[in-house]
Amino acid sequence: MDTFRDKLIPVTSILAGVIVLWYVFAVILNTPFQRDLDRRAGETHTLSEFIGKTLAQPKPTLPAPHQVAVNFFENTFLRPVTSNRSLVYNAWVTLSSTLLGFAFGTALGIIIAVGIVHVATLDRSLMPWIIASQTIPILAVAPMIIVVLAAVGVTGLVPKAMISTYLSFFPVTVGMVKGLRSPEIMHLDLMHTYNASRAQTFWKLRVPASVPFLFTSMKVAVAASLVGAIVGELPTGAVAGIGAKLLAGAYYSQSIDIWSALVAGSMVAALLVMVVGIAGRIVDRAMGGRPA
C-alpha cells in the first residue's frame, strides 16, 4: 500500500501541474484571436469573462483540457464503435497494424541479436548499419516504403506494419544483444566445465539471462511501433486510424479533434506498455523469479 501511495502521489502531482500549465498556455495562445473577435464585434469583457471565452473557442489554437476531455468522451463512449468518428474504431485500426509490426519487429530483432552474438562478422559488419538505420527520419522513410510496396501490389495493413517493424526492431536487437551477453564469464566457464554444447549454453544460460532485457526493450519497441503505425497512416491518405484523425483535424483546423486523437494514442501506448510489463512479470515468475 505504501509503495502504491509513493507512486501515486508523484504521478498525480505532475499531472496536476501539467494541467495547470496547459490552462495557462491555452489562455495565452488563444488570447490574440479572442481579442480580434472582440474587436470586430465591438465587445468588451471583464477579465474573467475574457478568460472564459479563450477557453471556449470552437477552433482554438490550443484547446483547453476540458474541451479535449469532452471531445474524447463523446467520440469514445457516445458514438457507435463502427463510426468513422469513433476513437475506439480509429484506435483499433491503428492498433492492428501496430501489433503486426511489433510482432515482426520483435522476431526480427531477436533473430538479428542471436546472429550478432554468435557470429563475430555480423557483430562487426551488421551492427553499425543497424545503428545508422535509425538516424534516418521516419517521415522520409515512410513514403518510400508505401510507394515501393504499392508498386508491387502490397497495400493496406502490411505497409503500415512494415514502418512499425522498422522502428521496433532496433530496441529489441540492442536489448537482446545486451541480454545474451549478460552472463558472467564464471557462468560460461561453468557450462564449459559441464561440457555443454553451444546450443545448451544458449538455451540454458544465455536465453534465461536475456529475458529481463527482452521485455524491457519490448516496452520501448511497442511504443515505437505505435508511432510507426500512426506515421504510416499519414502518407497513405488513410480514412481511418489515429493518424487519419490527426490528418483530418489538420485539414479542417479542428485542433480539439487533433488533441483528442493524441490523447487516445497516448492511452493506447500506455496500455500496450502495461500489457508487455505484465507479460514480463508473468514470464519472470514462471522462470522462478521472485517478485520485487
Side-chain angles (χ1 to χ4, degrees), residues 69-92:
V70 170
N71 184 283
F72 179 84
F73 180 82
E74 290 177 351
N75 290 325
T76 302
F77 300 103
L78 302 183
R79 296 188 186 277
V81 294
T82 55
S83 170
N84 286 339
R85 298 190 62 184
S86 171
L87 285 175
V88 176
Y89 171 75
N90 286 281
W92 170 250

Side-chain angles (χ1 to χ4, degrees), residues 129-150 158-169 227-236:
W129 287 105
I130 293 175
I131 296 174
S133 70
Q134 300 302 302
T135 64
I136 304 174
I138 187 59
L139 289 176
V141 174
M144 292 189 292
I145 295 177
I146 299 297
V147 170
V148 170
L149 292 180
V158 175
K160 295 187 293 182
M162 290 298 100
I163 298 171
S164 295
T165 301
Y166 173 79
L167 288 181
S168 62
F169 88 96
V227 173
I230 293 174
V231 172
E233 292 169 350
L234 300 179
T236 61

Side-chain angles (χ1 to χ4, degrees), residues 49-71:
E49 291 175 341
F50 181 80
I51 293 176
K53 284 185 172 292
T54 61
L55 298 177
Q57 294 176 2
K59 293 185 178 181
T61 302
L62 177 62
H66 68 271
Q67 291 178 297
V68 177
V70 170
N71 184 283

Side-chain angles (χ1 to χ4, degrees), residues 108-110 112-113 116-117 127 130-131 134 168-181 213-214 217:
L108 179 62
I110 292 174
I112 293 175
I116 288 174
V117 169
M127 196 63 178
I130 293 175
I131 296 174
Q134 300 302 302
S168 62
F169 88 96
F170 177 73
V172 174
T173 300
V174 174
M176 275 299 289
V177 168
K178 180 69 174 177
L180 292 173
R181 289 175 173 171
F213 295 86
L214 173 62
S217 62

Side-chain angles (χ1 to χ4, degrees), residues 11-65:
V11 172
T12 305
S13 301
I14 293 175
L15 180 60
V18 169
I19 292 176
V20 171
L21 289 175
W22 189 347
Y23 271 111
V24 171
F25 280 103
V27 172
I28 294 173
L29 294 177
N30 295 336
T31 291
F33 183 63
Q34 188 61 45
R35 283 177 177 171
D36 186 55
L37 290 177
D38 292 345
R39 184 173 58 253
R40 293 180 181 182
E43 298 177 349
T44 57
H45 302 284
T46 63
L47 179 61
S48 60
E49 291 175 341
F50 181 80
I51 293 176
K53 284 185 172 292
T54 61
L55 298 177
Q57 294 176 2
K59 293 185 178 181
T61 302
L62 177 62

Side-chain angles (χ1 to χ4, degrees), residues 95-143:
L95 182 62
S96 58
S97 55
T98 297
L99 294 177
L100 183 60
F102 174 63
F104 286 163
T106 301
L108 179 62
I110 292 174
I111 292 172
I112 293 175
V114 172
I116 288 174
V117 169
H118 287 85
V119 182
T121 303
L122 291 179
D123 186 18
R124 292 191 296 268
S125 61
L126 188 58
M127 196 63 178
W129 287 105
I130 293 175
I131 296 174
S133 70
Q134 300 302 302
T135 64
I136 304 174
I138 187 59
L139 289 176
V141 174

